[in-house]
Amino acid sequence: MTTGIFVGLSTIDLVYEVDQFPAGDSKITAKSQNVFVGGPAANAAIAFRHLGGDATLVTAVGRHPLAAIVREDLSRYKVALIDLTPGSEDVPAISSVAVDPAGRRNVISPNASRVSVPPVQVDPELLARASVLMVDGHAMQACQAWARAARHSGIRVVLDGGSWKEGMDTLLDFVDSALCSADFRVPNRLHRDQAIDFLNTHGVREIACTGGSGPIRWSTACGSGLIPVPQVPVVDTTGAGDILHGAFCWYTTQGPSFPESLRRAAAIASDSCRFQGTRAWMTTHSPPGGAANPAE
């Protein structure tokens, strides 16, 4: 089975469906609430696993009682866990997400900024089995350690470039493919073209820039172009970018070209927006042989 390693952030997402976003100093009643395990690396790992891969998530979880939510959800979706902070009793990162009728979202999250991760030891046996490694820049020291080891082992390293983070310039030296959001801006470089030039100077061979429902702009040494994003009735965009990254990691290990892998991943990410939350899309995308179905 194709193996992928995903290094970075996991969160507990409290998702509220609302008629409108709350104004300052106000209270509103949610139409519904759900609890999901989220975060860029976690959602990508679950998507990769569902599509047919063998996924391991390297993230900070700890042993606080709420950490059981993360462990149980990963177990349900058959994603292996390497806990960067197994002895921590801190509360896991919790995000509050409000989603309005247009599918837009407001997110409040501490991300990984409050988590202290000790020096990281890379698992050489797991790395030897991997075909792809994705890093999201959260828990940066861990991302750098795993990406460096993957590069030395000849394993493709994919960056989820949600935004610029401290230490990103060093991490980029080990990245093969960078999938960047519209929020990704290199310090002192305001335009997207400047970001692409910067990534190229760091040796990133494949670059894609997403823009929500707009086309994905891609660039490699062999060419460049635009990939239209399928337009769907939007219910909830939560986690769509993460799902795109996980799906891209899967397709890029199966043989398609860079733009074709992006096109297939974008189709899945767009389809996920037709549903509430980050899991319901799986009911319309059966994995090969059902291998990645959640445990009964």
Side-chain angles (χ1 to χ4, degrees):
M1 182 180 289
T2 303
T3 296
I5 303 171
F6 299 81
V7 187
L9 181 65
S10 61
T11 63
I12 298 172
D13 291 351
L14 309 179
V15 182
Y16 301 94
E17 182 184 5
V18 299
D19 287 324
Q20 60 185 11
F21 296 129
D25 197 24
S26 67
K27 295 181 180 180
I28 61 172
T29 300
K31 296 167 63 178
S32 68
Q33 67 173 5
N34 282 290
V35 179
F36 302 99
V37 171
N43 282 333
I46 291 171
F48 183 90
R49 174 63 176 138
H50 178 76
L51 292 171
D54 185 5
T56 295
L57 175 63
V58 182
T59 189
V61 177
R63 59 183 185 183
H64 185 279
L66 289 177
I69 296 174
V70 180
R71 296 180 184 277
E72 289 172 6
D73 204 45
L74 295 178
S75 177
R76 171 177 171 77
Y77 290 98
K78 300 180 181 179
V79 172
L81 170 65
I82 294 178
D83 190 355
L84 294 170
T85 56
S88 174
E89 296 183 357
D90 291 340
V91 179
I94 299 176
S95 298
S96 292
V97 184
V99 182
D100 75 0
R104 298 173 300 182
R105 58 201 171 92
N106 277 348
V107 181
I108 301 174
S109 177
N111 290 334
S113 58
R114 51 179 286 279
V115 179
S116 178
V117 175
V120 172
Q121 297 295 321
V122 173
D123 183 340
E125 293 184 4
L126 174 62
L127 196 61
R129 301 195 302 271
S131 298
V132 64
L133 180 134
M134 193 204 85
V135 292
D136 65 14
H138 296 279
M140 180 59 78
Q141 190 269 335
C143 288
Q144 291 175 352
W146 279 88
R148 182 184 296 108
R151 167 58 66 86
H152 291 163
S153 298
I155 297 165
R156 178 191 291 264
V157 178
V158 176
L159 171 68
D160 171 353
S163 62
W164 184 269
K165 300 171 181 67
E166 184 177 356
M168 185 69 75
D169 50 350
T170 299
L171 180 61
L172 288 173
D173 290 337
F174 312 117
V175 169
D176 299 295
S177 306
L179 278 58
C180 302
S181 76
D183 295 327
F184 185 87
R185 289 290 185 272
V186 178
N188 302 318
R189 291 171 171 83
L190 299 180
H191 302 294
R192 182 171 293 186
D193 286 346
Q194 293 175 306
I196 292 175
D197 291 342
F198 184 87
L199 293 171
N200 279 325
T201 63
H202 277 262
V204 180
R205 298 184 291 108
E206 300 174 336
I207 302 167
C209 298
T210 62
S213 61
I216 299 173
R217 182 178 180 181
W218 64 272
S219 175
T220 70
C222 298
S224 61
L226 296 175
I227 297 172
V229 171
Q231 302 301 299
V232 301
V234 174
V235 173
D236 185 0
T237 60
T238 302
D242 308 338
I243 293 166
L244 182 144
H245 298 140
F248 170 80
C249 287
W250 166 251
Y251 287 120
T252 199
T253 65
Q254 303 306 300
S257 65
F258 180 62
E260 178 62 16
S261 294
L262 288 170
R263 186 190 67 78
R264 296 185 188 185
I268 288 180
S270 292
D271 193 56
S272 75
C273 296
R274 298 193 299 115
F275 304 94
Q276 196 77 36
T278 55
R279 304 286 187 265
W281 68 273
M282 295 179 178
T283 62
T284 65
H285 291 272
S286 298
N293 288 336
E296 298 294 337

